[in-house]
Amino acid sequence: SYVLTQPPSVSVAPRQTAKITCGGNDIGGKSVHWYQQKPGQAPVVVVYDDSDRPSGIPERFSGSNSGNTATLTITRVEAGDEADYYCQVWDTTLDDRVFGGGTKLTVL
Amino acid sequence: QVQLQESGPRLVRPSETLSLTCAVSGGSVISDNWWTWVRQPPGKGLEWIGEIFHAGGTTYNPSLKSRVTISLDKSQNHVSLNLSSVTAADTSIYFCARGTYRKDFYFDLWGQGTLITVSS
């Protein structure tokens, strides 16, 4: 099965930039989606199709995808961005929608 | 606006079948969307279970495929999940979600989720 690898945790100071990576074999050839999940809540998509942003999501959230790594970038981080973030792709080989293990973003 | 609400028994005995319903309000299950189930063991990550399209297509997680059935009731406007032969490992928060297509399918709307415990 296709494996997506995320760092378990990322820490960043307020107003700085956070980068959360998602590694996978030739992930650059897939569309990557990113979800934010705050404690006790359902996930919310923050970036879809590598770099598109749903309406209502701040421009501070952006995504990129190339080679074996996709990256979610959050600029000017705020306390309210503290959450778990998951990447997700469609593994066409097995017809399986795969999630990364998740990254806990801590705002110092 | 469209909302999703999961419901079903919160406690299931081992070896029995877990049955959940996702009610779709403010919209129709007969739309250009896939209707999806995702679960999350307490304190752990997300796992896709499977999905259905109103024209009848279903796709399941290969690791769960032998135990999962997802169906759609157009008259009731809801989506159902059945997971058979459950064990404690199936204890999770179960979410229903809507899959929307742009360049690929992503989950743009989620229910609040419901915690299902498997225990005798």
Side-chain angles (χ1 to χ4, degrees), chain A residues 5-10 84 101-105:
Chain A
T5 301
Q6 297 183 238
S9 62
V10 168
D84 294 324
T103 297
K104 181 176 180 60
L105 177 66

Side-chain angles (χ1 to χ4, degrees), chain A residues 10-83:
Chain A
V10 168
S11 298
V12 63
R15 297 178 298 281
Q16 298 305 303
T17 296
K19 289 183 179 292
I20 299 173
T21 58
C22 176
N25 184 40
D26 194 27
I27 195 173
K30 302 181 182 298
S31 287
V32 179
H33 319 298
W34 291 92
Y35 302 89
Q36 175 194 69
Q37 186 181 31
K38 296 182 179 180
Q41 298 184 19
V44 173
V45 60
V46 292
V47 168
Y48 66 93
D49 290 340
D50 296 338
S51 59
D52 291 333
R53 207 173 38 251
S55 60
I57 299 300
E59 293 182 6
R60 301 185 297 104
F61 289 81
S62 63
S64 62
N65 184 20
S66 179
N68 293 317
T69 304
T71 303
L72 174 69
T73 301
I74 311 170
T75 59
R76 302 184 301 282
V77 166
E78 303 173 355
D81 298 331
E82 194 162 274

